Structures are given as C-alpha cells and as structure tokens.
C-alpha cells in the first residue's frame, strides 16, 4: 500500500512538471499582456517599459528559467493586475473554493449513498423510479441554465436568497445547490447499479444462509463492496470541484479559484494563472492519494 | 421415512421469465433424517438446487414462484413461516455451503469476522463465538487458527476456503447441512479430503446432510440415499447401489452409461510420424517453478493427455508450445523446426497448424459475434478462403461435423447450451485444418453426459481426420476413454508417463496412485471396497 502511494506520488510529480512547462508556454501564446493592461492610447514606449518592468522583454527560455528558479523557492511572482503575490491570491480564493467543494461533496456523497442504496433495495419500486428520474435530470441538465433559473425563481421572484456575492450563510445556498445537482445525479446512479450487482453476489447469498438480518446485509455486507466503484466516480467529481466551479462561481460572483482563474486568463495575468493551475494540481493529487487510501481501507485485496 | 428431520413434499416452483414460465421443479418430494446423507443428483438445469434454495428461503421471488408444496422442519411448514422466523432458522438449525468458496466469502472482511458472524447474527456473545470459531477452524484442519482468523478469503487455497466455509456453517451445530456442489471446483485429491471431512463431522454431530451434486462418484462415495433429478422431476430414487445397478429410468441409465472410465482404451500407433517433440522445457516465475525439465513426444493422430492438479504447470506447458508464453530454456520441435526460437512471422503460420480449445466456452467465445463470424475469423487472420460462398459452405460443413446444424451459423453464443458452445469452439479450431488441437480442460465445465458426447466427437475427429490432440485435464477419469498416452504432472515435473492402460492398471509413482485413488468411481461397490482397503491399510 505504501509502495502504491509512493509510486503514485512519483508519477504525479512528473505530471506536475509536464503541466508546469505546458502551462507556461501555452499561456504566453495568448498574446501580450501589455496590450490589455495599458490604456488603449498607450505609447509604444510605455508598453516597452511595462514589459521590461515585468521581465516580459527577455527571451522566452530565459523567462522560463527564472520562473523555475522562483518556483523552487515557492515564489510564483506577483499578479500583474493586483500587484500582490500570485500565490496569496490563489490561496485566498481556495479559502472559498475548498469549503464550497468539501461541503457540497459531503452532501452529495451522503445523499447519493443513502438514496442509491435504498433505490437498489427495491428495484422497480416507486422510490427507485423517482431516484432514477431525478438523477437522470440532474446528471444531464446544464448547470449554467439551472443557475440562472434558480436565480430567477429564488432570488428575483421569491426574494428568498441573494443573487450573488458572499457575506452570509444565505449566499452559499444557491451555489451549493446548483453544484450539488450534477455529481449527485451521476453518483446516485453508480451507487444504485453497484449496490445492485453487489446484492446479487454470492457472498450475500451466503450471508442470507447464515441468517444475517436485512439491514446488516445492505449496510455491512453489500455497501462496502458496492462502494469500490463509487469511490472512483467520487474522486472524479471532487476533482472537478477542486478545479473551481468556473461557471457557477462566475454566475454567483463567488470569489473562488474558478472565478480567479477565468479572470486571470482573460486579463493575461500569467503568474496568477500558473499559480492557480499548479495549486489546483497539487490539491487534486492529494485527493487522489486520499482516494487510493480509501480504496486500500475498503478492500484488503488492494492492500497487498 | 418417519424420523425425517427435514421433508420436502410435492414442491413445485415456477420461474417467470421474459421468455415465459419455466417449471423449475415439479412436485418433488424428498426427506433427510438425523445422521443421514441424501444426495440430489442432476445435471445443470435439472432443478437440483431449487428445492434447497427454497428450504433456505434463498429464491428470489419474483421471478421464482412457489406453486404448491410444503417444506416440513421441526413441526412447521417453512413455506408458511414469516421472513424473520425463517431468518432465525438459517445458519442456526439449517446451514448451507456452496460450490465456489471464493465468491461465496465476502472479499472485504476477514475470514474470522465472517465465521464469527454466524453466531453473532443469532445473538450469541462475540467472545463465545470467537472461541468456537478457533475450535472449528482447527477442527477442519487449517493450520494456525489464530492467524487464520485475521486473514482474508483470497489468502487461502481453494480447498482451505471450502474447509473454512464448512467451519462457518457448523458454528451453531445445525441439524441439517445443505452442501451445493461443495467439491466441484476442487482438485480430486482435495475433493476426497473435503468429502472425508464432511463425513467425519457428520458422525460427530449427527447432522443430516443434503448433498447436491452432478457427480456419480461423489454419490457413490458419500450418500446413503440418492434422488436423481431431470428436467425438474425426480426420476429415480433409492440407495446408491440400487440406483447404480438397477436403474429403472432411461435418464438414469443414460447418466450411468455416460460415466467415464468404462470404455475401451485407445492404443497409440507408434508407427505414425512424430509431430511435436518437446525437450527439457524449463520455466520459472520468480521463485515458483512452473515447468521443470519437461519433455514429451507427440505422434500424428495421437491423443496425449497431460494430467495434473492446479499449479502443476500443465497449462503453462500448453501456452509455451503455442508461444503464448516464453520459456527459460528447452526446445519444442514442431515438424522439424524449433518453435521456441521461431520468428514472429513463422509463429503466425504455426498457430494455424496448432489450435486450442479452452475450458469455458462462455468466456472464450465473443458474445457479440455470430457463430459464422466466430468460425470464419481465423480465415481473415490467415488470409484464407476469400470466397464468401465457399466460406458459407465450409462453415455449414464444419457445424455439421461437430453435430450442429448449418442454420446455427446465424445465431449468437448465448443462444446455445454449454455443450453446444464447446462444439462451436471445436468447429472454430477445425476451420483452420490444424494438425494439433490443444484442449485445455475442454470438457471440465460440462455436464457428465455432455462430456461423453464431446469426447466421442473429439475421438471421431482424431480417427477421421488424423488430428493429434494434447488433452490437458485435472481429472484422470475423463482422459481414460480418450487418451492413448498419459503424462502425470506435479509441481512442474512429469512424474510418470506411459500408455493409458498401464497408468490405470499398474501406475508406479505414488502421486499417480494418489490421484487414481482420489478419483471417485461411479460404482458404489468399488468405492466401498476402496474405503475398506484404505482403512485396512
């Protein structure tokens, strides 16, 4: 198990390096930041001054070398727009994205496991059909549309919830609810089918022949086996959320990392883009290790 | 019987499926008393497991539907008691063990946890259950019970798993133990040990044993009474001797006739030319020796059997000959050329000449390909028979050759029975007009009567077409009627080889003798004599 995680760590470090190189050069392809940052009537001289100030006049490879050296000291450079360390901006945004992602995923996982298991318990029953329809709609409805409709209904018509921004508990409800829908729809379906196949397995038959009670059959014998494929999907969905929910954060004006990233890209604020991508990659890498550990805990066959 | 512990009366069960209603069992009755062993004998689809599942309330309803009947146990009808009352009996008064102990143990919990659960599920304190588990694990012959308690199912061998399954079932000293094909997945020597263990435990506890099996040998070895099932009905019942020697129903007679090991033995024609000569093949996987100095000679038209238990290296040998697996050293000379050193291009040509038939036709046939596609695929690979009409004619001819009809070409594998699927696999092998067919446990998964048919088919092909066969099997009985020469493998080595008659009547190596002794004879008298001799010796 430790060996497995070690191998994963090495592989992830390598992919982080590749990612770093790719992002550095690709972001430079988007164009010259000086054009966006300076007023339209800025002279060529002013632009040149701006480039020299930020080291953008130097050859690309030289910029890259400097960038790598700085990175080794955890220096991601300053944001062009805000004139503050890029890493600070990203970490501040994460302080918003992380709780949003963790809370939402907690709700998603809890609801999906309970509802999916119950739906699988009585296949074809009313409850099963209801869960199937809801999850299908949830998994296929586009989130920007849901977000806008939700704002129209709950904020504009009913006036119950704020349209955007942060500041109170009420501000969190709509972003979380919209973020909840798609992963829930996906995971509940995986839980249901995975529980179904676990239920018809031979070991459940053995447990019934031993006289094990029904609830124990579902939540002790079936669930742990049924969770194995579910964990993979959970990891996938959680990764997407750690990436920052770009659309949802933008629509609701939520100052998370997704919004920061899209703003920085539009403004060619290279240092912030790079910092955001690398921090996100590290977060996803850590989460994958958590997923691996969870797998090992659930299934003794993987531990060896 | 008056002192019946468990009695099934006039039970009829239907299965409502998308294709209509199947009468799984029709008005069957059987009973088992204290200390008695009842065998329910039948082939797949005979409904032999249905009544036992009904006893344990394991039938999924729907699709199953109990039409009529009673299951009497302890003065009550099990078909009328509540779910909760039935649950309280399961594992406590009536226990059950199953065919494949690996899939019937929960993979994610330790074996100890699962064994202990039998008692805690019925409200016994955990420490008492733990003590009992340790006692039983030791009783079924697992070394170091304390350590075994904490291990997981995948860490045991097949035979050990079945022993642990038995321990799990006996935790609460049940009155009845139902064993559904308990030894089918095991090697013959392990099968003998497990059956002996079941008998001993039965003597100690006086429990009634219901043994569901397809194997006449198992019946001869262990049963006091037997009911024979066919197509959902009991067609014959009595003591194993009565049924074996004086079967009244044609189905029983056919089943007994199909039992292998009674026909004439093939004799090798030494004059025919040598096709394959394997010299000193060696292969290791890390510390494990799969092949240790294996040599053999195969003549044209010969049927050579390689017999050994799991892990003996017999499949590695086949894979090495086909170059599906590399070897460490040695030669395999095929028609004068060494296969081991061949280039990849020559290997392709060689693969046309040597074809393989695998154990499980359900897995070795692509379910999305029609029979026509399956059979003709080899022609595409080797660039043969470009003409479509010729192909269709040839596929039809091949299907007839293996006992199927030409119109079967349009169907898909799932529309056939296990035996028919194996015939398709054989037709596929024949399509390339091979000179050697390697059969890797090709009949092991089939019912006895189907086994006999497939073996007769292979033997006919050998005689008519002069094809050679390398026949890999774990069961000595199966090879007796087909092979002219037998090689016995153990731990990667050939421990004995010789003409089939000699191996069966005058084997030299103790391991061969052990295999032969463990191979159960369908004749109860033969088994009784063997037991007598074993207890004398």
């Amino acid at each position: 198990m430790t060996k497995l995680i070690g191998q994963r760590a090495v592989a992830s470090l390598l992919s982080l390096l590749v990612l770093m190189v790719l992002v550095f050069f690709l972001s430079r392809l988007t164009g010259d930041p000086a054009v966006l940052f300076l007023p339209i009537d800025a002279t060529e001289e002013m632009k040149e001054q701006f480039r020299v100030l930020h080291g953008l006049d130097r050859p690309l490879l030289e910029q890259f070398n400097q960038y790598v050296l700085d990175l080794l000291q955890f220096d991601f450079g300053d944001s062009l727009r805000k004139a503050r360390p890029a890493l600070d901006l990203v970490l501040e945004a994460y302080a918003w994205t992380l709780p949003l992602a963790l809370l939402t995923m907690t709700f998603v996982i809890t609801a999906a496991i309970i509802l999916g298991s119950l739906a699988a318990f009585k296949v074809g029953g009313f409850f099963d059909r209801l869960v199937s329809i809801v999850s299908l709609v949830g998994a296929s409805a586009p989130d920007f549309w849901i977000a806008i409709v939700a704002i129209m209904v709950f904020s504009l018509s009913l006036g119950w919830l704020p349209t955007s921004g942060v500041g109170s508990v009420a501000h969190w409800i709509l972003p979380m609810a919209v973020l909840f829908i798609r992963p829930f729809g996906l995971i509940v379906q995986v839980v249901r089918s995975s529980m179904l196949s676990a239920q018809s397995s031979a070991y459940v038959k053995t447990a019934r022949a031993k006289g094990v009670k029904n609830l124990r059959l579902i939540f002790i014998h079936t669930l742990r086996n049924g969770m194995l494929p579910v964990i993979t999907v959970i990891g996938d969905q959680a990764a997407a959320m750690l990436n920052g929910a770009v659309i949802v954060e933008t629509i609701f004006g939520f100052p998370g990392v997704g919004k920061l990233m899209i703003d920085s890209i539009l403004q060619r604020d290279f240092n912030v883009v790079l910092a955001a991508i690398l921090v996100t990659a590290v977060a996803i890498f850590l989460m994958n290790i958590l997923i691996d550990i969870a797998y090992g805990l659930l299934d003794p066959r993987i531990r060896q | 019987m008056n002192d019946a512990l468990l009695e099934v009366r006039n039970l009829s069960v239907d299965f409502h499926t998308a294709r209509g209603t199947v009468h799984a069992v029709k008005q069957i009755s059987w009973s088992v008393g204290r200390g008695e062993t009842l065998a329910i004998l039948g082939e797949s689809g005979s409904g032999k497991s249905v009544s036992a599942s009904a006893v344990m309330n394991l039938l999924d309803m729907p699709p199953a539907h109990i039409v009529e009947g009673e299951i009497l146990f302890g003065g009550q009808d099990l078909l009328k008691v509540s779910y909760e009352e039935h649950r309280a009996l399961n594992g406590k008064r009536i226990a059950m063990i199953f065919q494949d102990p690996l899939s019937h143990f929960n993979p994610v919990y330790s074996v100890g946890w699962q064994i202990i659960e039998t008692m805690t599920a019925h409200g016994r304190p955990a420490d008492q259950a733990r003590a009992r588990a340790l006692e039983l694990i030791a009783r079924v012959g697992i070394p170091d019970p304390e350590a075994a308690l904490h291990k997981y199912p995948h860490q045991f061998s097949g035979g050990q798993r079945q022993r642990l399954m038995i321990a799990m079932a006996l935790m609460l000293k049940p009155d009845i133990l139902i064993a559904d094909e308990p030894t089918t997945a095991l090697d013959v020597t392990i099968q003998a040990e497990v059956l002996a263990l079941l008998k001993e435990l039965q003597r100690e506890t006086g429990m009634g044993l219901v043994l569901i099996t397809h194997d006449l040998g198992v019946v001869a070895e262990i049963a006091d009474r037997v009911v024979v099932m066919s197509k959902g009905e009991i067609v014959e019942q009595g003591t194993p001797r009565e049924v074996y020697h004086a079967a009244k129903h044609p189905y029983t007679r056919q089943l007994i006739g199909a039992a292998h090991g009674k026909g004439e033995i093939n004799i090798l024609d030494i004059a025919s030319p040598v096709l394959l000569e394997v010299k000193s093949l060696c292969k290791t996987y890390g510390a494990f020796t799969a092949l240790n100095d294996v040599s053999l000679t195969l003549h044209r038209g010969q049927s050579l059997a390689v017999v050994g238990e799991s892990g003996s290296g017999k499949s590695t040998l086949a894979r090495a000959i086909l170059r599906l697996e590399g070897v460490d050293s040695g030669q395999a000379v095929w028609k004068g050329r060494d296969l081991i050193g061949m280039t990849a291009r020559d290997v392709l040509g060689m693969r046309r000449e040597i074809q393989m038939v695998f154990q499980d036709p359900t897995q070795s046939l692509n379910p999305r390909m029609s029979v026509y596609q399956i059979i003709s695929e080899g022609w595409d690979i080797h660039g043969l028979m470009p003409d479509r009409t010729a192909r269709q004619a040839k596929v039809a001819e091949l299907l007839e050759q293996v006992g199927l009809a030409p119109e079967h070409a349009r169907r898909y594998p799932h529309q056939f029975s296990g035996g028919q699927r194996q015939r398709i696999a054989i037709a596929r092998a024949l399509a390339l007009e091979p000179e050697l067919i390697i059969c890797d446990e090709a009949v092991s998964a089939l019912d006895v009567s189907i086994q006999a048919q497939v073996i007769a088919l292979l033997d006919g092909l050998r005689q008519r077409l002069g094809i050679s066969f390398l026949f890999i099997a774990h069961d000595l009985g199966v090879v007796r009627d087909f092979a002219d020469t037998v090689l016995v493998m153990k731990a990667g080595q050939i421990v004995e080889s010789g003409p089939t008659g000699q191996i069966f009547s005058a084997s030299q190596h103790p391991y061969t003798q052990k295999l032969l002794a463990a191979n159960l004879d369908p004749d109860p008298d033969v088994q009784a004599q063997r037991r007598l001799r074993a207890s004398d010796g």
Side-chain angles (χ1 to χ4, degrees):
Chain A
M1 189 69 198
T2 332
K3 196 177 151 208
L4 186 85
I5 290 173
Q7 286 169 347
R8 274 306 267 274
V10 172
S12 305
L13 269 179
L14 282 177
S15 34
L16 271 184
L17 281 177
V18 174
L19 186 74
M20 194 180 77
V21 176
L22 273 180
V23 170
F24 180 87
F25 288 105
L26 283 179
S27 62
R28 256 71 182 167
L29 286 179
T30 57
D32 182 1
V35 179
L36 280 182
F37 274 86
L38 299 178
I40 268 183
D41 53 357
T43 61
E44 200 49 44
E45 222 166 72
M46 289 164 74
K47 287 185 187 164
E48 191 53 37
Q49 210 180 352
F50 180 86
R51 290 189 197 113
V52 173
L53 183 67
H54 294 282
L56 296 167
D57 58 329
R58 287 183 291 165
L60 211 52
L61 274 180
E62 206 178 298
Q63 290 185 40
F64 182 66
N65 278 341
Q66 188 57 46
Y67 181 72
V68 173
L69 284 177
D70 288 347
L71 266 195
L72 289 176
Q73 301 159 43
F74 288 98
D75 180 0
F76 287 80
D78 286 351
S79 158
L80 294 178
R81 173 133 304 218
K82 304 239 168 98
R84 292 181 52 210
L87 188 60
D88 287 4
L89 286 177
V90 172
L91 292 180
E92 273 165 30
Y94 253 100
W96 291 104
T97 292
L98 218 51
L100 180 70
L102 287 181
L103 271 174
T104 312
M105 273 319 276
T106 310
F107 284 122
V108 166
I109 294 170
T110 316
I113 289 178
I114 294 177
L115 296 179
S117 303
L118 291 175
F121 183 62
K122 236 187 172 354
V123 181
F126 169 75
F127 191 71
D128 181 29
R129 279 168 207 210
L130 189 74
V131 167
S132 290
I133 292 172
V134 169
S135 67
L136 193 67
V137 172
S140 37
D143 45 9
F144 65 86
W145 178 79
I146 295 182
I148 291 166
V149 172
I151 290 176
M152 278 171 59
V153 174
F154 295 102
S155 307
L156 300 181
S157 304
L158 297 170
W160 291 351
L161 295 167
T163 52
S164 70
V166 284
S168 71
V169 175
H171 283 94
W172 287 69
I173 294 178
L174 276 185
M176 272 174 58
V178 175
L179 271 182
F180 174 91
I181 290 171
R182 188 198 295 261
F184 169 77
L186 280 172
I187 295 173
V188 80
Q189 282 178 6
V190 180
V191 170
R192 179 181 172 276
S193 65
S194 168
M195 286 292 281
L196 267 184
S197 69
Q199 263 172 34
S200 58
S201 65
Y203 51 81
V204 168
K205 201 165 142 189
T206 312
R208 282 175 68 187
K210 286 199 295 190
V212 174
K213 286 182 176 145
N214 264 339
L215 277 180
R216 208 178 146 79
L217 273 182
I218 303 177
F219 288 105
I220 306 283
H221 281 270
T222 320
L223 187 61
R224 189 157 153 190
N225 286 284
M227 280 316 286
L228 294 172
V230 176
I231 284 180
T232 313
V233 185
I234 288 179
D236 220 45
Q237 294 299 311
M241 252 185 226
L242 284 177
N243 235 325
V246 176
I247 290 169
V248 170
E249 284 182 1
T250 309
I251 291 178
F252 289 104
F254 194 89
V257 74
K259 186 169 183 323
L260 177 70
M261 219 183 294
I262 204 78
D263 290 349
S264 313
I265 290 172
L266 292 176
Q267 294 159 358
R268 293 184 198 155
D269 198 344
F270 295 154
N271 287 340
V272 179
V273 175
L274 280 161
I277 289 177
L278 287 182
V279 171
T280 306
V282 170
I284 290 174
F285 155 63
L286 288 177
M287 200 202 51
N288 275 326
I289 286 192
L290 279 183
I291 295 283
D292 283 345
I293 292 175
Y295 248 113
L297 287 179
L298 283 179
D299 191 342
R301 289 166 297 183
I302 292 174
R303 263 177 254 161
Q304 279 149 18
Chain B
M1 211 179 247
N2 296 329
D3 56 347
L5 259 177
L6 172 68
E7 188 178 0
V8 172
R9 269 193 208 161
N10 286 326
L11 182 70
S12 297
V13 179
D14 285 355
F15 282 92
H16 297 296
T17 69
R19 287 198 218 149
T21 300
V22 179
H23 306 293
V25 296
K26 288 171 258 182
Q27 296 218 316
I28 63 163
S29 303
W30 51 259
S31 68
V32 64
R34 196 166 287 285
E36 188 187 30
T37 302
L38 172 80
I40 302 180
L41 176 73
E43 298 188 295
S44 40
S46 63
K48 62 181 186 294
S49 299
V50 174
S51 50
S53 295
V55 169
M56 300 303 290
N57 197 20
L58 292 179
L59 289 174
D60 287 320
M61 292 188 266
H65 169 67
I66 292 177
V67 183
E68 59 175 331
E70 292 169 308
I71 297 176
L72 302 174
F73 177 77
Q76 47 187 346
D77 182 356
L78 292 187
L79 296 178
K80 295 211 172 75
V81 301
S82 70
Y83 183 87
E84 180 54 27
E85 285 172 303
H86 210 140
R87 185 198 64 74
L89 288 175
N90 272 7
K92 189 176 172 196
R93 305 284 311 276
I94 313 177
M96 185 160 181
I97 61 175
F98 302 89
Q99 172 172 353
D100 175 11
L102 180 58
S103 63
H104 281 89
F105 267 116
N106 196 323
V108 301
Y109 293 104
S110 72
V111 161
W113 185 95
Q114 297 184 58
I115 295 179
I116 287 169
E117 194 193 26
T118 307
M119 272 173 90
T120 51
H122 293 278
R124 302 297 171 84
D127 52 337
Q128 195 189 330
R130 195 171 183 282
R132 170 85 175 141
L134 283 174
E135 176 195 331
L136 267 175
I137 292 173
R139 176 63 195 89
V140 297
I142 303 290
D144 196 356
E146 188 67 51
L149 222 47
H150 299 286
K151 287 207 221 166
Y152 290 89
H154 69 275
Q155 294 171 303
F156 294 94
S157 71
Q160 286 179 322
R161 277 194 287 265
Q162 194 57 284
R163 288 163 182 273
L164 289 163
M165 181 75 81
I166 292 171
M168 183 159 79
L170 298 186
M171 282 293 278
L172 287 159
K173 304 193 176 97
D175 299 315
I176 305 272
L177 176 65
I178 301 175
D180 191 352
E181 300 269 14
T183 57
T184 306
L186 305 177
D187 278 330
V188 273
T189 53
I190 312 290
Q191 157 164 301
E193 288 168 20
V194 168
L195 289 179
L197 175 68
L198 278 174
K199 260 201 300 201
E200 280 170 38
L201 290 168
Q202 183 184 33
R203 254 199 306 277
E204 285 168 26
T205 61
M207 64 186 176
L209 180 61
V210 179
L211 193 112
I212 300 163
T213 182
H214 69 282
D215 189 344
L216 270 169
V218 171
V219 173
E221 171 65 13
I222 198 170
D224 298 315
R225 280 187 309 120
V226 54
V227 298
V228 183
M229 289 196 65
S230 170
K231 293 177 187 149
E233 284 175 281
I234 293 181
V235 296
E236 187 112 24
Q237 52 185 314
T239 67
R241 293 195 59 214
E242 287 165 4
V243 169
Y244 186 78
H245 292 295
K248 292 179 222 61
H249 196 275
Y251 173 77
T252 322
R253 284 206 291 270
Q254 182 209 331
L255 201 62
I256 292 167
H260 33 68
K262 298 292 164 200
E264 222 169 277
I265 291 178
N266 285 329
I267 294 179
L268 168 66
D269 176 12
I270 316 173
S272 69
V274 170
L275 205 57
L276 173 70
E277 196 167 8
V278 172
K279 293 177 196 161
S280 310
L281 277 191
C282 293
K283 166 85 182 171
T284 53
Y285 299 101
F288 179 75
T289 309
L291 294 178
N292 184 1
D293 195 19
V294 171
S295 302
L296 61 87
T297 312
L298 181 78
H299 296 260
R300 192 175 292 282
Q302 181 177 10
S303 51
L304 176 72
V306 179
V307 179
E309 299 188 288
S310 30
S312 62
K314 54 191 195 298
S315 291
T316 311
L317 174 64
R319 297 172 61 79
I321 292 171
L322 276 170
R323 280 282 299 272
L324 295 170
E325 189 112 48
V327 293
D328 301 337
S329 64
Q331 279 186 307
V333 181
W334 169 253
K335 298 200 291 186
R337 299 178 59 202
D338 184 16
L339 290 172
I340 305 295
M342 255 185 197
T343 62
R345 177 195 295 245
D346 289 341
V347 165
L348 184 67
M350 172 274 287
R351 290 224 175 106
R352 189 191 66 73
E353 296 168 350
I354 308 180
Q355 285 295 306
M356 190 142 176
V357 177
F358 296 92
Q359 170 168 5
D360 185 352
T362 316
Q363 285 176 27
S364 65
L365 300 178
N366 187 333
R368 308 252 179 275
M369 283 165 79
S370 72
V371 171
Y372 175 82
Q373 288 169 318
I374 287 169
I375 293 178
S376 59
E377 191 189 20
W379 295 327
D380 290 333
I381 294 169
H382 293 279
L384 302 168
M385 302 256 292
D387 181 41
R388 206 179 148 72
T389 355
R391 275 192 181 195
Q392 278 166 348
K394 183 72 182 164
V395 168
E397 184 193 323
L398 285 166
L399 285 172
E400 278 181 334
Q401 215 163 30
V402 298
L404 296 169
E407 60 265 27
H408 287 153
R410 281 192 301 274
R411 296 198 195 163
Y412 287 83
H414 72 267
Q415 294 169 290
F416 295 90
S417 69
Q420 287 175 320
R421 274 183 221 149
Q422 198 61 300
R423 286 168 191 270
I424 296 168
I426 293 169
R428 172 182 65 176
L430 286 177
L432 291 168
E433 296 174 354
E435 292 169 65
L436 169 63
I437 296 183
I438 299 180
C439 298
D440 191 357
E441 301 275 10
V443 298
S444 307
L446 304 177
D447 278 327
V448 188
S449 57
I450 312 293
Q451 270 185 2
Q453 290 169 15
V454 171
I455 283 178
L457 168 68
L458 294 177
D459 203 41
L461 293 170
R462 188 183 64 81
Q463 286 172 15
R464 280 206 314 281
L465 307 174
I467 299 173
S468 312
F469 283 90
L470 187 67
F471 196 86
I472 293 170
H474 66 279
D475 186 353
L476 265 170
V478 179
V479 307
R480 185 189 172 280
D481 297 338
F482 179 62
D484 52 45
T485 312
V486 178
L487 301 181
V488 180
M489 281 189 80
K490 189 192 180 203
Q493 257 177 319
I494 295 178
V495 295
E496 184 163 10
S497 65
T500 309
Q502 186 190 318
I503 294 284
F504 275 83
S505 60
S507 61
Q508 300 298 314
H509 197 278
Y511 180 70
T512 316
Q513 289 160 358
K514 190 179 162 197
L515 278 184
L516 282 169
N519 190 43
L520 300 173
D521 196 283
D523 186 340
D525 293 336
V526 174
Q527 278 305 121
Q529 276 168 18
R530 282 194 195 167
R531 282 199 297 275
L532 208 62
R533 251 182 285 145
S535 59
D536 285 352

